[in-house]
Amino acid sequence: MDELGPQFERASGVVLSFRYDTAAALQRAMEDGARFDVAVLTSPVMSVLTAANKIAGADQSTFASALIAVAVKHGAAKPDISTREMFVQTLLSADKISYAKEGASGQHFQRVLKQLNLDEALRDKLLPMTGAKEIEAVADGLATLGVQLTSEILPVKGVDLVGPFPGDLQNRTELKIAVSTESKSTDLARRFIAYATSSAAAEVIRAKGMIPP
């Protein structure tokens, strides 16, 4: 959005304002009455807000999808996580593992730990974070590994992307973009959505570690 926003502003002459947070935090804000014109959220959260009449169901498009990945501190050796076995070994060898306590990636990571029967073995190594600080914790040396969407890892200075979760441990997170039911600028909101889902925007989406529709 830091790139798509200014591009749209130059083309439309309209100044945009963005608010960034986890989908869960944005959901609570919208349910509490926060005003907005366009939302970009994970598909499950978008469905909940559509049912609550906060999001216009007819004005939804797929914005992008992202893979869940692992990060290490910049310059540190990158562990092999290409197979389930190596992924497990990497987790067991880590001192601390940070992840988003409320985010979709963190929720999936917790399900993966239970699937691998590692939730008890790693209990003392887990570092659940709020406020989108889980990758910064790796940069600051508070965690050996960080778990987040690829697109959330790449912008953080001081960390290196190791790679996505392997095989069936992966979960692709789909992001939807839609208009608020209370927007007073629906035509402009639809214009922004059209731009954000265009072929020109797809190049930016790929560069940021996501997969365009």
Side-chain angles (χ1 to χ4, degrees):
M1 290 303 167
D2 286 341
E3 289 194 27
L4 294 181
Q7 292 176 14
F8 182 78
E9 288 176 337
R10 289 191 292 270
S12 67
V14 175
V15 177
L16 304 177
S17 176
F18 293 100
R19 173 177 174 176
Y20 304 111
D21 213 323
T22 63
L26 292 174
Q27 176 184 344
R28 286 195 297 271
M30 293 172 186
E31 289 172 340
D32 289 341
R35 300 297 298 271
F36 64 98
D37 294 296
V38 174
V40 180
L41 299 162
T42 55
S43 291
V45 171
M46 194 70 85
S47 296
V48 170
L49 291 171
T50 301
N53 199 35
K54 297 291 184 180
I55 297 288
D59 289 310
Q60 295 187 21
S61 299
T62 299
F63 174 67
S65 57
L67 301 180
I68 300 177
V70 175
V72 294
K73 189 175 180 64
H74 177 63
K78 293 183 180 181
D80 183 353
I81 59 169
S82 59
T83 66
R84 176 186 287 244
E85 293 73 20
M86 295 306 298
F87 181 75
V88 168
Q89 186 57 48
T90 294
L91 295 180
L92 291 172
S93 300
D95 293 327
K96 287 288 183 180
I97 307 169
S98 58
Y99 65 94
K101 184 177 182 180
E102 293 186 315
S105 62
Q107 293 172 3
H108 178 70
F109 180 51
Q110 293 176 75
R111 290 192 294 268
V112 166
L113 294 181
K114 290 182 179 179
Q115 178 183 339
L116 297 173
N117 295 317
L118 292 176
D119 45 334
E120 289 297 329
L122 295 177
R123 182 179 299 277
D124 294 336
K125 296 186 176 187
L126 298 179
L127 190 63
M129 306 286 289
T130 58
K133 300 295 184 181
E134 55 281 347
I135 302 304
E136 290 182 9
V138 177
D140 294 339
L142 300 177
T144 316
L145 302 176
V147 172
Q148 244 301 357
L149 300 179
T150 303
S151 54
E152 299 297 317
I153 293 173
L154 292 179
V156 179
K157 295 181 180 180
V159 301
D160 291 330
L161 174 68
V162 175
F165 281 24
D168 62 356
L169 300 181
Q170 181 56 249
N171 182 61
R172 179 179 291 198
T173 298
E174 184 181 61
L175 300 172
K176 295 278 192 177
I177 185 168
V179 179
S180 165
T181 54
E182 298 180 358
S183 173
K184 298 185 184 301
S185 305
T186 53
D187 288 343
L188 185 61
R190 290 171 183 146
R191 282 176 57 194
F192 178 72
I193 290 176
Y195 181 76
T197 55
S198 67
S199 57
E203 296 180 10
V204 176
I205 290 171
R206 288 192 188 93
K208 300 302 179 183
M210 294 181 289
I211 305 163

